[in-house]
Amino acid sequence: MSKITLILGGARSGKSTYAEQRCLPNGRLKKRYIATAQIWDEETRERVNKHKDRRAQNWDVTEEVFKDLSQHLLKTEQPSQITLVDCLTLWLTNEMLSNEKEDINPVIDTFVENIAKLKQPYVFVSNEVGMGIVPENALARKFRDAQGRLNQKVAKVANQVIFVAAGLPLKLK
Amino acid sequence: MSKITLILGGARSGKSTYAEQRCLPNGRLKKRYIATAQIWDEETRERVNKHKDRRAQNWDVTEEVFKDLSQHLLKTEQPSQITLVDCLTLWLTNEMLSNEKEDINPVIDTFVENIAKLKQPYVFVSNEVGMGIVPENALARKFRDAQGRLNQKVAKVANQVIFVAAGLPLKLK
Amino acid sequence: MSKITLILGGARSGKSTYAEQRCLPNGRLKKRYIATAQIWDEETRERVNKHKDRRAQNWDVTEEVFKDLSQHLLKTEQPSQITLVDCLTLWLTNEMLSNEKEDINPVIDTFVENIAKLKQPYVFVSNEVGMGIVPENALARKFRDAQGRLNQKVAKVANQVIFVAAGLPLKLK
């Protein structure tokens, strides 16, 4: 059985740092870091570069995966390896932007079915985006809905779900 | 004494599904579902229709109440009946849109006074909308303030308050 | 050693009222209230005046501090005094607006270093602003990032961190 941990939190909540602290002390396991951020602008480039510096020393393997994430995980998983995926929100953004007209629900369903088949330990980081006022922008509303559904479905197959606020964890499951 | 449960959560947090799961296993009680969603556009129509399909088989009574909700509850409550109201956010929206110039605070106060008089069990679903950046739109700020005050006041008279994130409950009271 | 409590919550979450209830029953201690709200418009003026009425009877000292908050705290702390600062979000706003071009990170770092040196009990109120959709406005994104970093860093030096939703506390630390 796979051992899935979902780390949920707002922007700048410290969720990535917390997720790294969960993965890194596992001395016996090989550590794999998967980044999903695509660089669209200067703001993202800066953030991504900071992340790269931080992770360089600590991880055995680092990969960039923008789409078809669960398919990649199924194909590449290895025994005695723990994988951190940071984050599902950027992966979902990539999937939605690459084909705005299609229904995103089948993509979410396939993702969840696939990760439920994984055998090694995984830590997924994801954003909470639904606790503000309804966005005026229709695409933002659509994204908010998709992200909420994804979080619910991943939480259902996860063994542990941790909510992070101000860098501090709160156990949901 | 009334037995009020408040289920609080963000958009697409799974709060409605969780609230239904709290109501439906009460075998001895008659189950009443009150929807507050008014249909303003296609997006809402689609969402409402999905909800209708889901609830048709499970509930003894379903009603649509857009305004004067607490007055309706006082007039219609029956022994051995549990009522789910989904949701206070849409009811508050209806009240605010129907008279944008008036102060919404007395409407909130009357609502809370009235529900404190109810004798049967009630589950109210409501949105958390205050954890994003300050909205640029003045009406959105006004709504955010009113929703926050409503949640605080209902929480005060409630016997149980549950926060839902990613479909998972967190007990606040 | 300083005894720092951080009260975190969304807009209209009841965090200020909760923070006051934490400070006021401390009979032996002198009570100081520090407001950070600068009046930019009618909306703020109304809110600030309500706050002033509420606090007038209960506090031994009230002060308004808009900038250089930690420096002020270091200079003015007195034995047997508990201080409520409401709130860090408005203080951070003041600092960012007073010089939009500068990097805010050193200001945050200095603040956290300074409050770690304080010896008396302090309660800081701060907003959670990162749980909505990514703001379209670049300054709003910048503020959201700064606020999130500030909350994380204050949480690290705090002895207690409480999350407030619908007026109800949830212990994070």
Side-chain angles (χ1 to χ4, degrees):
Chain A
M1 205 195 76
S2 109
K3 230 182 121 183
I4 291 175
T5 303
L6 174 63
I7 311 286
L8 206 59
R12 302 290 123 197
S13 63
K15 58 191 187 307
S16 296
T17 306
Y18 178 77
E20 290 176 30
Q21 288 164 356
R22 299 269 306 210
C23 292
L24 290 175
N26 291 291
R28 303 166 303 103
L29 301 173
K30 221 175 137 182
K31 280 151 213 82
R32 175 168 64 152
Y33 184 99
I34 296 183
T36 60
Q38 256 177 309
I39 291 166
W40 298 99
D41 53 31
E42 254 332 285
E43 213 176 302
T44 314
R45 182 184 310 279
E46 220 178 283
R47 188 166 299 180
V48 165
N49 285 342
K50 271 190 201 166
H51 260 258
K52 274 190 184 165
D53 291 350
R54 192 168 67 184
R55 75 195 185 228
Q57 319 98 310
N58 296 317
W59 300 84
D60 298 304
V61 189
T62 70
E63 294 169 9
E64 291 189 328
V65 182
F66 305 135
K67 292 192 55 187
D68 302 319
L69 173 61
S70 62
Q71 293 83 348
H72 177 81
L73 296 179
L74 279 175
K75 259 185 275 170
T76 58
E77 80 167 340
Q78 288 180 18
S80 304
Q81 183 177 55
I82 186 167
T83 302
L84 170 57
V85 176
D86 193 1
C87 65
L88 296 187
T89 301
L90 292 171
W91 162 72
L92 186 65
T93 305
N94 297 338
E95 295 282 0
M96 283 183 78
L97 289 178
S98 74
N99 198 334
E100 291 190 28
K101 280 185 193 142
E102 264 181 51
D103 182 11
I104 194 72
N105 284 321
V107 174
I108 291 173
D109 291 343
T110 301
F111 177 81
V112 177
E113 281 164 32
N114 282 343
I115 65 169
K117 293 179 202 154
L118 294 166
K119 290 184 175 56
Q120 300 301 315
Y122 290 82
V123 176
F124 293 104
V125 175
S126 193
N127 275 62
E128 172 58 55
V129 300
M131 296 189 190
I133 271 294
V134 182
E136 291 180 32
N137 175 320
L139 183 60
R141 285 199 300 279
K142 211 172 138 187
F143 182 77
R144 188 169 80 143
D145 284 0
Q147 174 72 81
R149 276 196 299 266
L150 174 65
N151 287 346
Q152 282 183 56
K153 291 186 176 200
V154 175
K156 212 172 252 175
V157 301
N159 303 74
Q160 275 208 305
V161 182
I162 310 285
F163 195 89
V164 176
L168 299 167
L170 201 59
K171 196 179 173 176
L172 288 178
K173 181 179 177 176
Chain B
M1 206 195 73
S2 108
K3 233 183 117 181
I4 291 175
T5 303
L6 174 63
I7 311 288
L8 207 58
R12 303 290 122 196
S13 63
K15 59 191 185 309
S16 295
T17 306
Y18 178 77
E20 290 177 28
Q21 289 164 356
R22 299 270 306 211
C23 293
L24 291 173
N26 290 291
R28 302 165 305 101
L29 301 173
K30 222 175 138 182
K31 281 152 211 80
R32 175 167 66 152
Y33 184 99
I34 296 184
T36 60
Q38 256 178 310
I39 292 166
W40 299 98
D41 54 31
E42 255 332 286
E43 214 175 303
T44 315
R45 183 185 309 279
E46 222 177 280
R47 187 166 299 180
V48 166
N49 285 340
K50 271 190 200 165
H51 260 258
K52 275 192 182 162
D53 291 351
R54 191 168 69 183
R55 74 194 185 226
Q57 319 97 310
N58 295 318
W59 300 86
D60 299 304
V61 189
T62 71
E63 295 169 9
E64 291 188 329
V65 180
F66 305 134
K67 294 193 51 188
D68 301 319
L69 173 61
S70 62
Q71 294 83 347
H72 176 81
L73 296 178
L74 279 175
K75 260 187 272 170
T76 58
E77 79 166 342
Q78 288 180 16
S80 304
Q81 184 177 55
I82 186 168
T83 302
L84 170 58
V85 176
D86 194 359
C87 65
L88 296 188
T89 301
L90 292 170
W91 162 71
L92 186 65
T93 306
N94 297 338
E95 296 282 0
M96 283 183 78
L97 290 178
S98 74
N99 197 335
E100 291 189 29
K101 281 183 193 144
E102 265 182 49
D103 182 11
I104 196 70
N105 283 322
V107 174
I108 291 174
D109 290 343
T110 301
F111 177 81
V112 177
E113 280 163 34
N114 282 342
I115 64 169
K117 294 179 200 155
L118 293 166
K119 289 184 175 56
Q120 300 300 315
Y122 289 81
V123 177
F124 293 102
V125 175
S126 193
N127 276 61
E128 172 56 56
V129 301
M131 296 187 190
I133 270 295
V134 181
E136 291 181 31
N137 175 322
L139 183 61
R141 285 200 301 278
K142 210 173 140 186
F143 182 76
R144 189 170 80 144
D145 284 359
Q147 175 73 80
R149 275 195 299 265
L150 175 65
N151 288 346
Q152 282 184 54
K153 291 187 176 203
V154 175
K156 211 171 253 177
V157 300
N159 303 75
Q160 276 209 306
V161 182
I162 311 285
F163 195 89
V164 176
L168 299 168
L170 201 59
K171 197 179 172 176
L172 288 178
K173 178 179 179 177
Chain C
M1 204 193 79
S2 110
K3 231 183 119 182
I4 291 175
T5 303
L6 174 63
I7 311 287
L8 207 59
R12 303 290 121 198
S13 62
K15 58 190 184 310
S16 295
T17 306
Y18 178 77
E20 291 178 28
Q21 289 164 357
R22 300 270 304 211
C23 293
L24 291 175
N26 290 292
R28 302 166 304 103
L29 301 174
K30 221 175 139 184
K31 281 152 210 82
R32 176 166 64 153
Y33 184 99
I34 296 183
T36 59
Q38 255 178 310
I39 292 168
W40 300 97
D41 53 31
E42 254 332 286
E43 216 176 301
T44 315
R45 182 186 307 281
E46 223 178 278
R47 189 166 297 178
V48 166
N49 284 340
K50 272 190 199 165
H51 260 259
K52 276 191 182 163
D53 291 351
R54 193 168 67 184
R55 74 193 185 227
Q57 318 98 310
N58 296 317
W59 300 85
D60 298 304
V61 188
T62 71
E63 294 169 10
E64 292 189 328
V65 181
F66 304 136
K67 294 193 52 190
D68 303 320
L69 173 60
S70 62
Q71 293 82 348
H72 176 82
L73 296 178
L74 279 175
K75 260 185 274 171
T76 59
E77 80 167 340
Q78 290 180 15
S80 303
Q81 181 178 58
I82 185 167
T83 302
L84 170 58
V85 176
D86 194 0
C87 63
L88 296 187
T89 300
L90 292 171
W91 162 72
L92 186 65
T93 306
N94 296 338
E95 295 282 1
M96 285 183 77
L97 290 178
S98 73
N99 198 334
E100 292 189 28
K101 280 184 194 143
E102 265 181 48
D103 182 10
I104 195 71
N105 284 322
V107 175
I108 292 173
D109 291 343
T110 301
F111 177 80
V112 177
E113 280 163 35
N114 282 342
I115 64 169
K117 294 179 201 155
L118 294 167
K119 289 184 175 58
Q120 300 301 314
Y122 289 83
V123 176
F124 293 103
V125 175
S126 193
N127 276 60
E128 173 55 57
V129 301
M131 296 188 189
I133 271 293
V134 182
E136 292 180 31
N137 175 321
L139 183 60
R141 285 200 300 278
K142 210 172 139 187
F143 182 77
R144 188 169 80 144
D145 284 0
Q147 174 73 80
R149 275 196 299 265
L150 174 65
N151 288 345
Q152 282 183 56
K153 291 187 174 200
V154 175
K156 210 171 254 178
V157 300
N159 303 74
Q160 276 209 305
V161 182
I162 311 285
F163 195 89
V164 176
L168 299 167
L170 202 59
K171 198 180 171 173
L172 288 177
K173 179 178 178 178

